[in-house]
Amino acid sequence: MSKSISKLCRRGTAALALTAAIGAFAVQAEAGTVENMERERAILIETLRAADMEANERAGKVEISRHRLVDLERMVLRDDSLTGRNTPTVRRAFANYDLTFMVHSASEQQVAVIDVWLGQLGLTTQTLMSASKGRR
Amino acid sequence: MSARPKYSIAGSTRGLILGLALSMAATGVFTVPAYASGGDPTWQPQASERLVKLPASYIKRSLEQDFTRSELGQALRDIDTEIGFKSETLTDLQAAIEASEGEVRTDLRHQFLVEKREYIELVSRKIELRRKAMEKKSGVLEKLMKRMGQQDAELTPIRRELIERQSAARARFETSISGVDMELLETSVAPESKYSRQFASNLSAIDSLSRAIEQHPMSRGPEVDGVPVTREDYVRQMIADAQAELELIGQEETILGYMAKLVALDATALSEEVSDAELIDSDTPEGESLTGAVKFFVGQ
């Protein structure tokens, strides 16, 4: 009798452990942090590049995007499920810290977000000033 | 003397003792009793994915549990019980021999030899099973080690580079986060986000929980002689322990061989003793010389 009770207890404990493990994996299965960040980043770049926008309007939109990107960038950097996930999106995201985590990089360097982005594209004041007109 | 003799000392007994001596000397202890199930008891441990992923300190426990449940483990336990009973029989017989004399004593000595032979057979069987178990264990640990190595080697250069980049990015983020927070606080007019607030409070909860997990006795990492070691080191230590056990089993086999040799010598000695006693008691006239018969032919 006691044997069967202990067996039942063991099975119950095993089932509990299994449920806990499944629960943990279920949480991990929620992905998309990189995609969310990329979408927000694309919107920010679009806003920065938009020619038909008032300066104030642009500043307001950039500030909203920037604020949101702070959290999204942190979510990506803290997402352990991305470690070693060899997908093109993740590979590209971690290929260049300054380009992907633009808001953090800009704050770190104490420059504007657009400066970081243009700098990563090779468009700095120095390169523009030293550019010369000529035929290709 | 309370023990009753089971055998009578006769020619057949002498033959039996000689047979025992010969069997011990010639074949040693190689008679293997069949396992209760009819076949040879087995244990088939696998270097499964589960075992590869288990925390190092659980690998040993898992293997031991698997062995205990196996047919081989059961056979070893059974044989241990049998050896225990046989030891008791030998102790009783030894005491009985010391308290007896004459023909009964010879009978008991013979029985003692038979029991010793059976004891050696049992121990030999146990050694064989232990060797089998250790070889299996060593084999599965080797496979485990190989699989663990394979998992590391499975990382392609691109994946390894990605992991390195991710580590670098996280390190950069961690070192700059306080500065970034300060800068954002100064420049931003928006209040701190819900994520930031909630993350900070959750982080302290996670910290306290992870500390509790670290301190939990069941989550203690692998240790060798009280020194924390890596998973690979721990498995290597287990392989070395299994090898050491195999070496000791080899030494025990030598001890058992000497025991068998002694039983064979004892059996030969007893056989000769019995033979001498029979010759003394027999009515057969001693070899008379021809000169002794001369008296029948002369002086008539």
Side-chain angles (χ1 to χ4, degrees):
Chain A
M1 179 67 183
S2 65
K3 224 177 200 178
S4 63
I5 288 171
S6 73
K7 204 174 178 182
L8 205 67
C9 283
R10 269 209 310 276
R11 280 184 184 170
T13 316
L16 190 67
L18 194 67
T19 315
I22 289 166
F25 281 117
V27 171
Q28 279 182 1
E30 282 173 27
T33 47
V34 178
E35 288 79 3
N36 286 337
M37 183 193 71
E38 294 286 8
R39 190 172 53 239
E40 196 58 43
R41 195 166 65 107
I43 291 167
L44 175 63
I45 292 168
E46 195 59 40
T47 309
L48 292 170
R49 288 177 64 241
D52 57 344
M53 211 178 272
E54 292 276 328
N56 284 344
E57 191 187 357
R58 190 197 313 274
K61 282 195 172 183
V62 165
E63 188 54 31
I64 291 167
S65 273
R66 190 170 161 262
H67 201 69
R68 206 175 287 152
L69 264 173
V70 171
D71 288 345
L72 290 169
E73 285 178 8
R74 287 180 184 192
M75 283 176 206
V76 171
L77 285 162
R78 285 165 177 158
D79 191 348
D80 289 332
S81 69
L82 297 176
T83 308
R85 189 189 285 178
N86 195 11
T87 63
T89 315
V90 177
R91 267 205 312 273
R92 210 170 40 243
F94 285 91
N96 189 338
Y97 183 95
D98 293 308
L99 199 59
T100 306
F101 309 106
M102 281 196 313
V103 177
H104 277 81
S105 181
S107 296
E108 197 184 320
Q109 297 171 49
Q110 297 191 333
V111 291
V113 175
I114 184 111
D115 288 339
V116 173
W117 183 64
L118 289 172
Q120 288 304 313
L121 296 180
L123 298 170
T124 61
T125 309
Q126 201 180 354
T127 53
L128 287 174
M129 292 299 280
S130 62
S132 58
K133 197 163 70 175
R135 184 180 286 182
R136 260 196 156 168
Chain B
M1 177 60 215
S2 60
R4 284 174 55 208
K6 286 184 180 171
Y7 307 95
S8 64
I9 305 298
S12 62
T13 310
R14 205 169 62 240
L16 211 65
I17 298 168
L18 264 173
L20 173 71
L22 279 172
S23 71
M24 291 304 287
T27 60
V29 289
F30 299 121
T31 315
V32 179
Y35 183 56
S37 67
D40 212 22
T42 54
W43 177 37
Q44 301 290 346
Q46 303 288 329
S48 59
E49 192 67 25
R50 180 182 153 270
L51 202 63
V52 174
K53 284 183 176 169
L54 269 180
S57 49
Y58 285 88
I59 294 173
K60 193 177 179 182
R61 207 171 300 157
S62 174
L63 275 176
E64 279 169 3
Q65 279 176 359
D66 191 46
F67 174 68
T68 309
R69 283 194 293 265
S70 72
E71 205 179 40
L72 188 59
Q74 182 60 47
L76 257 174
R77 280 196 300 279
D78 290 347
I79 217 157
D80 266 337
T81 315
E82 278 186 64
I83 288 170
F85 288 144
K86 198 59 80 182
S87 294
E88 283 173 21
T89 310
L90 285 171
T91 312
D92 292 346
L93 271 173
Q94 200 168 29
I97 289 167
E98 279 168 20
S100 63
E101 54 187 22
E103 206 170 289
V104 175
R105 186 184 167 87
T106 311
D107 270 354
L108 286 173
R109 278 176 68 193
H110 171 251
Q111 204 179 332
F112 189 52
L113 282 175
V114 172
E115 292 291 337
K116 276 206 279 191
R117 181 180 184 272
E118 284 176 8
Y119 174 82
I120 288 169
E121 277 180 358
L122 282 174
V123 175
S124 166
R125 176 70 175 150
K126 184 186 169 182
I127 285 175
E128 187 193 321
L129 294 180
R130 272 176 62 208
R131 179 179 285 281
K132 198 173 170 182
M134 277 303 137
E135 280 170 354
K136 287 273 181 190
K137 187 178 175 181
S138 185
V140 80
L141 287 170
E142 291 282 357
K143 279 183 193 164
L144 191 66
M145 191 78 185
K146 204 173 164 187
R147 285 196 67 172
M148 281 160 74
Q150 272 174 352
Q151 277 198 337
D152 288 341
E154 269 171 15
L155 287 178
T156 57
I158 293 172
R159 192 154 174 239
R160 193 172 290 123
E161 191 190 338
L162 172 66
I163 291 171
E164 279 167 16
R165 280 182 187 278
Q166 285 174 329
S167 302
R170 280 169 190 151
R172 182 173 166 183
F173 167 65
E174 288 302 330
T175 51
S176 66
I177 187 167
S178 55
V180 171
D181 277 344
M182 194 67 79
E183 201 269 341
L184 287 170
L185 202 72
E186 283 169 5
T187 56
S188 179
V189 288
E192 197 182 12
S193 71
K194 187 189 169 191
Y195 169 75
S196 293
R197 271 183 280 118
Q198 201 63 44
F199 184 84
S201 69
N202 284 351
L203 195 64
S204 66
I206 289 167
D207 278 347
S208 63
L209 285 170
S210 60
R211 264 199 306 279
I213 289 169
E214 275 170 26
Q215 286 163 5
H216 198 282
M218 291 308 286
S219 73
R220 201 173 291 155
E223 288 181 357
V224 174
D225 299 330
V227 180
V229 290
T230 63
R231 200 174 146 81
E232 284 76 12
D233 282 340
Y234 188 74
V235 175
R236 266 205 302 277
Q237 180 65 37
M238 280 172 73
I239 293 170
D241 287 345
Q243 283 301 321
E245 187 77 16
L246 279 170
E247 290 300 316
L248 290 173
I249 287 171
Q251 211 174 14
E252 283 176 23
E253 276 173 344
T254 309
I255 294 169
L256 204 66
Y258 286 133
M259 281 181 174
K261 179 83 180 166
L262 269 175
V263 172
L265 290 172
D266 283 349
T268 312
L270 185 62
S271 166
E272 283 186 9
E273 267 179 47
V274 171
S275 172
D276 289 348
E278 281 179 355
L279 279 174
I280 289 163
D281 291 346
S282 83
D283 297 331
T284 314
E286 283 195 31
E288 289 177 7
S289 66
L290 196 60
T291 51
V294 172
K295 63 178 185 256
F296 302 123
F297 299 94
V298 297
Q300 300 243 337

